[in-house]
Amino acid sequence: IIEDVSPYAPSTSNKLQDNIIDLGRAILMPGFVNSHTHLELSILKGRLRYSGSFTRWLEDLVKAKSKWNKKDYVTSTKQGVAELLNTGTTTVADITNTGYSVEPTASSHLRGIIYKEVTGLDPERAEETFKENVEFIESLPAHPLIRYGLSPHAPYSVSGKLLEQIAIFSSNYGTPITIHISESEEEIQFLKEGSSPLKEFLKRIGALPCNWQPIGTTPI
């Protein structure tokens, strides 16, 4: 209860009712923005060790989630959302590979963009892959706080034809896009020269077309 005792106060003795929240030693500020997350991978925090090789780290990541089901991805996403909220993050740009993280993220009261990750090095399947992913984001329910976009994964995992289709679509419809780019020396070597541990990894997982040729320049 606050009583106005200033010389300009009304002559009546009315008392103003205010709700006072004492936060102690705190700072009031806008919420943080995390512009790149993979919330569906949150439970891997602290479980993957970088040993100096990007490709080896990528292999460990793929192996760690190889047996996950929808429940695992949803649980992981919820853990990531809780960590964001507990640390003052209110806006997020999240990339989902499976689509399972969309519902728990959209229902969390966070605002931001959810990107559907797109992969495919085979230019002959570019049209099919493009349509599948566009249809996916167009099927998602409208949300007052969330927009949807596409994330061509990286130059080492998306063909030029597929990347071009996504870029044109984004330009025509204003769809947000994001991409991983120039993440490692191994990626640069793979794209410039066509040889690196990354090439062998892509071969092992069946992601490298037999007629693939390096672009002969850096990712940028």
Side-chain angles (χ1 to χ4, degrees):
I1 300 175
I2 300 175
E3 183 175 358
D4 190 344
V5 294
S6 75
Y8 305 104
S11 57
T12 60
S13 60
N14 291 340
K15 294 181 177 179
L16 304 177
Q17 296 285 340
D18 281 353
N19 292 324
I20 300 175
I21 302 175
D22 186 352
L23 299 177
R25 295 176 59 83
I27 297 173
L28 293 182
M29 60 182 291
F32 292 118
V33 176
N34 191 326
S35 61
H36 187 107
T37 63
H38 292 264
L39 293 176
E40 64 187 19
L41 302 179
S42 298
I43 61 176
L44 293 178
K45 181 178 180 179
R47 291 172 53 186
L48 298 178
R49 302 296 180 185
Y50 183 68
S51 60
S53 168
F54 174 76
T55 302
R56 192 176 302 120
W57 176 86
L58 199 57
E59 287 185 281
D60 290 343
L61 171 62
V62 171
K63 183 178 179 180
K65 65 187 183 74
S66 61
K67 296 182 180 180
W68 285 10
N69 55 31
K70 179 179 179 179
K71 182 179 179 181
D72 295 317
Y73 283 105
V74 170
T75 299
S76 188
T77 301
K78 289 181 177 179
Q79 178 176 313
V81 165
E83 185 169 349
L84 290 176
L85 294 173
N86 287 337
T87 52
T89 299
T90 60
T91 303
V92 65
D94 183 57
I95 300 170
T96 177
N97 178 260
T98 65
Y100 294 144
S101 65
V102 173
E103 193 283 326
T105 304
S107 63
S108 67
H109 303 298
L110 289 166
R111 69 177 69 242
I113 304 171
I114 297 177
Y115 296 94
K116 175 61 175 66
E117 191 162 74
V118 184
T119 59
L121 269 175
D122 188 351
E124 294 184 5
R125 296 196 68 247
E127 185 70 28
E128 178 185 354
T129 301
F130 171 73
K131 287 182 177 180
E132 287 175 356
N133 285 277
V134 168
E135 288 173 359
F136 174 80
I137 64 170
E138 289 181 340
S139 72
L140 298 172
H143 191 282
L145 300 179
I146 299 292
R147 297 174 66 197
Y148 303 109
L150 294 172
S151 175
H153 175 255
Y156 64 81
S157 58
V158 177
S159 70
K161 184 177 179 180
L162 179 54
L163 186 59
E164 185 177 29
Q165 286 180 301
I166 293 172
I168 293 172
F169 181 77
S170 172
S171 177
N172 289 340
Y173 297 100
T175 304
I177 58 175
T178 188
I179 188 171
H180 304 81
I181 194 161
S182 202
E183 294 180 293
S184 70
E185 289 289 343
E186 293 170 7
E187 175 187 351
I188 295 171
Q189 181 186 2
F190 172 65
L191 293 173
K192 288 183 70 174
E193 305 169 9
S195 63
S196 82
L198 194 54
K199 180 178 181 179
E200 300 308 313
F201 168 67
L202 292 171
K203 275 185 177 180
R204 284 196 297 274
I205 64 173
L208 189 70
C210 59
N211 60 348
W212 181 86
Q213 294 295 322
I215 60 176
T217 187
T218 67
I220 299 297

